[in-house]
């Protein structure tokens, strides 16, 4: 541990001392011909290595989309698994280019940590999971319970707020990784597990007997999850913002990985801008004009990514809900590309 | 670790210079001017070197912080007074989420200190027993001790910690099926629940009585020793002291009306509340650290005892000393001189190894402060520096204490 802390310290000191301005992430990525992307240590549906050790999930796909836009190849991504505690230091010190790891956008993180959130890839909220045999129906009955929770998350803070406000007592058992958290819950060290609700469904799939647990109806917080980059590098920030916007706009315009080739000859002005036939939108974010085509052809639009990783036909079975497009009953909304 | 090195260097130079100085005093006429005085000159250069080194460190730190500020990362120590807003499983001082980040530092620090202290005491006791057992004439005992040492010394500590945590959690029942002794003691997968003592005001008399009897026992011991040296009469020092230390406070306790009540743990909907709770993470971490370090200490003790010349034992025997007295009065005091230096480094290792606590969720300094607090505030440099300072301080305090003790037991040549 001592070596590790020394490592962190020297890493920060070195980076902070020798490269004052953090600009130039785009050049670095192009030079290495590789995008380095921070993800979780394993969270089904969001970022999780599959049988062939390939990273899959919504958060992993976002990084692939950026690689497709910047390098023209969605496979040129190196994934770095990070615990909740490690993630911001890894980004600040330049170890990764993007942090795409179910990270909640909060004011402190956006400001005093020197980071920028590129948008929201998933609107979430914190929920509770309990064992069915406790017979609990509502979070309000949980006074006196022991809670398994992950270190360094907004979850830790929301939990304290909620129990304090409702005059309830709790004991928090804090773990480093989601794996340890779910094991602690399974071993009966705690009565409930709390996390962002989407992650509860993901973690439930890791239980030996998923049917033995249930998610309580209460949502106690707002958790807008999104990709994060370092503050002070506007070129890179713009690329990330508009990669996400392109994913969402493509779904809204009906552009998918299936029909992208036909769309290239479309006469619809907005589609023509999207595929780079007019307006040079790619050049405006220092990329090739085929950037958006590359994203959709190789990764798909937001709706495709959602359904593939967390949607109805996956073990997570999450409905679009808030994450549906704004004109379909949700709040996913991207500024226009023009 | 550079500090002791520098100290030695300076001492060394001073020693030489002082003796030169002393030598030159033998010739009083030729006292050199100050800039030619080797003592003053070397002092001057050493002070300069220390100042330069200090400035170097300061400027690295300052430069880092300035650059971080340029990147929009908040720096400084003002976060320490902000409200923490998260809960901690175990705290030796009063704490809840309304306390400050500064308080989380002390909560973590004390949690680290308490496992380290308990671990050092336990590992030393077990290590001594096993070390002596390994030298036993009884074949079975000696072999069992060897097996213990070889197993616990050769499995990585992290695995052992996780193993004990799983073993503890898997074998213990849930709160409703607790193992219990009456209505007072409960054992389940939330840990051990004990009655919590609540002291009345009058308890201060009991404490005073205890201190007084401690002092009198000490005085009695010195007196008994002197008398024995003078007259050869032996007094039962142990029994008298024990009688004093236990008897007097007990009598006072009853006289002032038993100012002590016990708060029992009660089963509620999910688990027990009230009472005193020792969490399972503490138990598994302490146990793992103890078993692991005790194996090393056992080897140190064995080598220490073997290092004492066999002639010493024979001499003691021929004086008619019993086996246990030979061990206690002749062998161990001499073995200690060999044992203490490597024992010190085991204590340092144990303290630093306690930071593996995060693997099982024990809220030590690394988990609470360098984990959660760091992540919530993002002030990595300040927090990592503070954490390292704590471990350094712990290590230096242990080293200093052990060096002092080593000097005390080391051979006094007569
Ligand atoms: N959204 C929250 C929580 C994120 C989080 O770390 N959640 C856990 C769920 S238990 C997780 O994803 N763990 C995966 C891992 O440890 O790699 C935040 O940003 O603080």
């Amino acid at each position: 541990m001592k070596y590790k802390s020394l490592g962190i310290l020297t890493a920060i000191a070195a980076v902070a001392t020798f490269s004052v301005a953090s600009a130039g992430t785009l050049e670095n990525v192009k030079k290495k011909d590789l995008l380095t992307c921070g993800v979780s240590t394993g969270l089904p549906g969001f970022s999780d290595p599959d049988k062939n050790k390939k990273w899959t999930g919504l958060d992993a796909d976002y990084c692939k989309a950026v690689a497709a836009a910047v390098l023209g190849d969605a496979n040129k991504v190196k994934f770095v698994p990070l615990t909740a505690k490690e993630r911001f230091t890894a980004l600040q010190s330049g170890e990764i280019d993007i942090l795409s790891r179910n990270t909640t956008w909060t004011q402190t993180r956006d400001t005093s940590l020197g980071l920028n959130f590129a948008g929201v890839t998933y609107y979430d909220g914190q929920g509770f999971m309990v064992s069915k045999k406790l017979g609990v129906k509502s979070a309000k009955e949980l006074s006196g319970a022991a809670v398994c929770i992950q270190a360094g998350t907004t979850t830790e803070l929301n939990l304290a707020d909620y129990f304090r406000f409702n005059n309830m007592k709790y004991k928090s058992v804090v773990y480093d990784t989601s794996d340890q958290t779910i094991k602690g819950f399974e071993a009966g060290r705690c009565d409930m597990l709390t996390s962002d609700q989407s992650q509860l469904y993901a973690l439930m799939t890791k239980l030996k007997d998923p049917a033995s647990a249930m998610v309580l109806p209460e949502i106690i917080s707002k958790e807008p999850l999104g990709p994060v980059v370092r503050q002070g590098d506007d070129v890179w920030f713009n690329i990330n913002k508009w990669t996400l916007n392109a994913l969402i706009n493509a779904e809204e315009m009906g552009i998918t990985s299936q029909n992208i080739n036909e769309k290239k000859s479309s006469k619809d002005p907005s589609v023509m801008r999207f595929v780079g036939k007019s307006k040079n939108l790619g050049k405006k974010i220092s990329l090739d004009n085929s950037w958006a085509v590359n994203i959709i052809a190789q990764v798909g639009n937001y709706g495709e990514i959602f359904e593939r990783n967390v949607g109805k036909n996956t073990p997570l079975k999450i409905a679009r809900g808030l994450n549906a497009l704004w004109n379909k009953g949700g709040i996913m909304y991207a500024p226009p590309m023009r | 670790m550079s500090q002791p090195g520098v100290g030695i260097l300076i001492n060394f130079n001073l020693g030489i210079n002082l003796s030169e100085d002393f030598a030159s005093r033998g010739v009083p006429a030729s006292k050199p001017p100050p800039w030619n005085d080797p003592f003053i000159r070397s002092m001057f250069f050493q002070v300069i070197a220390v100042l330069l080194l200090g400035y170097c460190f300061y400027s690295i730190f300052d430069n880092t912080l300035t650059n971080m500020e340029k990147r929009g990362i908040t720096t400084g120590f003002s976060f320490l007074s902000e409200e923490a807003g998260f809960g901690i499983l175990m705290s030796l001082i009063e704490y809840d989420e309304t306390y400050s980040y500064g308080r989380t530092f002390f909560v973590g620090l004390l949690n680290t200190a308490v496992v380290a202290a308990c671990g050092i005491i336990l590992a030393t006791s077990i290590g001594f027993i096993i070390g002596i057992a390994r030298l036993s004439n009884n074949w079975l005992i000696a072999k069992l001790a060897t097996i213990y040492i070889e197993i616990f010394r050769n499995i990585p500590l992290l695995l052992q910690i996780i193993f004990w945590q799983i073993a503890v959690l898997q074998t213990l029942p849930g709160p409703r099926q607790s193992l219990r002794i009456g209505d007072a003691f409960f054992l389940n997968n939330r840990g051990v629940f004990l009655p919590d003592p609540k002291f009345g005001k009058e308890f201060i008399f009991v404490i005073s009585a205890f201190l007084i009897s401690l002092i009198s026992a000490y005085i009695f011991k010195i007196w008994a020793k002197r008398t024995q040296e003078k007259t050869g009469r032996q007094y039962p020092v142990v029994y008298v002291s024990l009688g004093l230390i236990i008897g007097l406070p007990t009598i006072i306790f009853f006289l002032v009306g038993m100012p002590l009540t016990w708060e029992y743990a009660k089963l509620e909907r999910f688990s027990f509340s009230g009472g005193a709770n020792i969490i399972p993470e503490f138990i598994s971490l302490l146990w793992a650290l103890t078993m692991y370090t005790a194996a090393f200490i056992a080897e140190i003790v064995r080598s220490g005892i073997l290092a004492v010349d066999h002639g010493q034992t024979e001499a003691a025997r021929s004086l008619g000393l019993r086996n246990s007295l030979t061990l206690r009065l002749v062998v161990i005091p001499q073995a200690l001189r060999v044992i203490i230096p490597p024992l010190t480094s085991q204590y340092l290792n144990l303290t630093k190894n306690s930071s593996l606590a995060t693997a099982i969720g024990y809220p030590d300094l690394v988990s609470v402060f360098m984990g959660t607090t760091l992540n919530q505030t993002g002030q990595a440099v300040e927090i990592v520096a503070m954490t390292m300072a704590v471990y350094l301080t712990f290590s230096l305090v242990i080293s200093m204490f052990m060096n002092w003790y080593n000097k005390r037991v080391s051979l006094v040549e007569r």
Side-chain angles (χ1 to χ4, degrees):
Chain A
M1 276 334 271
K2 276 217 83 192
Y3 293 116
K4 194 164 160 199
S5 53
L6 251 178
I8 298 178
L9 195 66
T10 36
I12 297 174
V15 169
T17 316
F18 300 119
S19 60
V20 179
S22 62
T25 311
L26 176 63
E27 284 87 84
N28 279 340
V29 169
K30 278 190 174 155
K31 204 159 65 202
K32 285 183 300 182
D33 201 24
L34 191 70
L35 176 75
T36 315
C37 168
V39 287
S40 78
T41 58
L43 186 68
F46 288 86
S47 42
D48 195 32
D50 67 7
K51 278 188 230 77
N52 309 319
K53 300 256 153 36
K54 287 239 183 310
W55 284 88
T56 63
L58 193 130
D59 286 338
D61 279 352
Y62 171 80
C63 282
K64 289 186 188 164
V66 176
V70 175
L71 304 170
D73 184 350
N75 289 321
K76 289 185 176 164
V77 188
K78 182 176 140 208
F79 290 100
V80 179
L82 298 166
T83 66
K85 283 195 323 197
E86 295 161 349
R87 57 187 157 172
F88 300 121
T89 317
L91 184 60
Q92 287 168 339
S93 65
E95 189 186 334
I96 54 176
D97 303 315
I98 308 174
L99 175 69
S100 181
R101 185 204 172 282
N102 51 348
T103 298
T104 305
W105 187 350
T106 69
Q107 187 179 353
T108 305
R109 290 173 179 178
D110 202 357
T111 54
S112 64
L113 264 60
L115 306 175
N116 274 334
F117 282 79
V120 177
T121 49
Y122 190 101
Y123 290 96
D124 211 336
Q126 184 174 336
F128 298 104
M129 177 163 87
V130 294
S131 162
K132 275 186 187 153
K133 59 172 192 269
L134 282 179
V136 176
K137 292 278 167 308
S138 150
K140 293 268 162 53
E141 301 168 35
L142 288 172
S143 185
V147 195
C148 282
I149 196 168
Q150 201 163 337
T153 57
T154 48
T155 324
E156 262 188 297
L157 306 177
N158 298 328
L159 177 78
D161 284 358
Y162 182 78
F163 275 70
R164 179 166 24 142
F165 187 71
N166 288 302
N167 263 323
M168 305 195 295
K169 285 180 301 175
Y170 72 100
K171 283 190 169 174
S172 54
V173 188
V174 182
Y175 295 102
D176 272 357
T177 67
S178 57
D179 223 42
Q180 292 168 350
T181 317
I182 195 79
K183 293 240 170 67
F185 176 74
E186 216 166 13
R189 176 62 185 99
C190 37
D191 305 293
M192 62 163 165
L193 190 158
T194 179
S195 180
D196 300 348
Q197 213 177 39
S198 66
Q199 290 147 39
L200 291 181
Y201 290 111
L203 292 177
M204 219 182 213
T205 65
K206 285 190 171 183
L207 285 174
K208 273 193 210 85
D209 177 15
S212 67
M214 60 183 259
V215 173
L216 297 178
E218 280 90 351
I219 300 266
I220 64 165
S221 69
K222 290 190 290 186
E223 307 287 329
L225 312 178
V228 200
V229 293
R230 279 180 293 277
Q231 202 170 292
D233 185 350
D234 287 349
V235 176
W236 189 243
F237 184 33
N238 283 339
I239 291 174
N240 277 273
K241 259 192 301 199
W242 286 97
T243 300
L244 178 56
N245 290 335
L247 289 169
I248 298 169
N249 278 324
E251 183 184 8
E252 192 180 327
M253 299 190 299
I255 306 174
T256 67
S257 55
Q258 306 301 317
N259 65 15
I260 182 77
N261 279 330
E262 299 139 44
K263 291 285 180 184
K264 279 186 197 156
S265 43
S266 165
K267 291 282 166 292
D268 178 343
S270 66
V271 176
M272 284 171 71
R273 286 195 296 273
F274 190 94
V275 299
K277 281 275 155 51
S278 67
K279 279 289 198 177
N280 285 331
L281 286 181
K283 292 273 175 310
K284 296 194 167 83
I285 52 170
S286 328
L287 296 180
D288 210 70
N289 276 334
S290 63
W291 68 290
V293 172
N294 291 340
I295 294 176
I296 303 304
Q298 300 182 28
V299 190
N301 67 31
Y302 181 76
E304 293 179 271
I305 294 177
F306 191 98
E307 289 306 331
R308 176 165 73 226
N309 295 305
V310 299
K312 281 271 174 279
N313 299 323
T314 65
L316 275 75
K317 299 194 185 49
I318 300 179
R320 283 296 286 269
L322 279 182
N323 296 299
L325 292 179
W326 61 283
N327 53 9
K328 300 254 174 65
I331 55 174
M332 266 300 162
Y333 185 102
M337 294 167 67
R338 58 162 68 251
Chain B
M1 269 345 287
S2 75
Q3 215 132 353
V6 171
I8 288 166
L9 202 72
I10 291 177
N11 283 344
F12 181 66
N13 283 351
L14 282 186
I16 289 186
N17 291 334
L18 277 175
S19 54
E20 274 178 14
D21 203 31
F22 187 68
S24 66
R25 261 187 219 141
V27 200
S30 65
K31 189 160 173 44
W35 56 89
N36 265 346
D37 184 329
F39 175 68
I40 292 178
R41 210 157 55 178
S42 84
M43 252 337 237
F44 174 76
F45 283 116
Q46 305 223 15
V47 168
I48 295 268
V50 168
L51 285 183
L52 272 180
L53 197 69
Y55 177 74
C56 206
F57 277 120
Y58 167 77
S59 69
I60 288 178
F61 199 71
D62 186 60
N63 204 3
T64 308
L65 294 190
T66 317
N67 286 333
M68 284 175 43
E69 220 144 326
K70 269 193 204 134
R71 290 177 157 203
I73 302 174
T74 307
T75 59
F77 287 93
S78 57
F79 71 96
L80 287 172
S81 56
E82 277 171 36
E83 183 182 292
F86 61 89
I88 301 177
L89 183 57
M90 163 181 156
S91 175
L92 299 176
I93 46 178
E94 210 170 303
Y95 175 83
D96 64 43
E97 51 279 345
T98 56
Y99 281 90
S100 67
Y101 285 124
R103 188 80 168 188
T104 67
F105 173 72
F106 288 107
V107 172
L109 187 151
L110 287 175
N111 285 350
T112 291
V114 75
V115 265
C118 294
I120 285 176
I121 293 170
L122 276 179
T124 311
S125 329
I126 297 181
F128 265 79
I129 294 171
I130 305 273
I132 293 172
R134 198 172 171 187
L135 292 173
S136 165
N137 293 328
N138 183 320
W139 184 85
L140 185 66
I141 291 182
K143 274 289 166 285
L144 283 180
T146 312
I147 293 174
Y148 168 89
I149 290 170
E150 291 309 331
I151 290 183
F152 285 94
R153 206 166 55 146
N154 290 313
I155 299 177
L157 178 58
L158 183 60
L159 288 186
Q160 293 192 36
I161 294 177
I162 293 172
F163 170 79
W164 289 115
Q165 172 73 356
I166 292 173
V168 166
L169 286 187
Q170 296 286 336
T171 47
L172 292 177
R176 302 206 156 265
Q177 294 82 36
S178 300
L179 309 170
R180 60 194 313 173
I181 305 176
D183 277 332
F185 299 90
F186 303 92
L187 177 66
N188 56 46
N189 62 13
R190 308 292 158 83
V192 182
F193 291 84
L194 315 160
D196 196 11
K198 299 275 180 237
F199 301 105
K201 269 204 302 294
E202 296 83 3
F203 203 79
I204 188 81
F205 293 114
V206 183
I207 296 177
S208 324
F210 177 71
L211 290 179
I212 291 172
S213 51
L214 216 58
I215 296 171
S216 2
Y218 185 66
I219 294 176
F220 177 70
K221 189 185 145 198
I222 295 178
W223 176 82
K225 197 171 172 205
R226 288 230 184 99
T227 322
Q228 191 191 352
E229 274 164 12
K230 264 199 247 130
T231 67
R233 255 196 81 178
Q234 282 196 15
Y235 288 89
V237 177
V238 177
Y239 294 112
V240 173
S241 309
L242 272 182
L244 257 178
I245 293 170
I246 297 174
L248 189 63
T250 317
I251 294 171
I252 298 289
F253 176 71
F254 284 107
L255 278 184
V256 294
M258 297 190 279
L260 173 69
T261 49
W262 297 93
E263 182 199 281
Y264 291 100
K266 275 195 308 289
L267 185 62
E268 290 190 343
R269 175 155 188 190
F270 295 103
S271 180
F272 287 86
S273 79
N277 177 206
I278 305 173
I279 57 173
E281 289 77 16
F282 177 79
I283 300 171
S284 2
L285 179 67
L286 175 62
W287 190 240
L289 286 173
T290 301
M291 299 306 267
Y292 180 74
T293 314
F296 288 93
I297 292 181
E299 282 298 86
I300 292 172
V301 168
R302 183 177 73 111
S303 69
I305 291 177
L306 287 181
V308 177
D309 188 48
H310 192 60
Q312 297 282 331
T313 318
E314 280 168 356
R317 290 255 170 75
S318 62
L319 282 177
L321 288 184
R322 272 176 284 129
N323 243 345
S324 62
L325 280 182
T326 308
L327 202 61
R328 195 157 60 88
L329 297 177
V330 178
V331 179
I332 296 210
Q334 296 186 69
L336 274 184
R337 291 172 200 136
V338 182
I339 291 175
I340 284 173
L343 193 62
T344 308
S345 76
Q346 287 306 321
Y347 289 175
L348 300 183
N349 283 347
L350 188 144
T351 308
K352 287 179 281 183
N353 284 340
S354 73
S355 66
L356 291 170
T358 57
I360 54 168
Y362 175 74
D364 78 326
L365 184 68
V366 171
S367 161
V368 168
F369 195 61
M370 218 174 84
T372 301
T373 300
L374 191 159
N375 197 270
Q376 303 296 3
T377 60
Q379 298 195 251
V381 172
E382 292 85 352
I383 288 180
V384 175
M386 280 172 78
T387 309
M388 295 200 326
V390 168
Y391 281 98
L392 189 66
T393 312
F394 278 174
S395 297
L396 289 180
V397 167
I398 293 176
S399 292
M400 264 154 55
F401 175 77
M402 293 302 279
N403 284 345
W404 166 79
Y405 187 65
N406 195 24
K407 279 230 184 69
R408 244 192 61 151
V409 299
S410 67
L411 202 61
V412 188
E413 309 244 4
R414 275 186 271 217

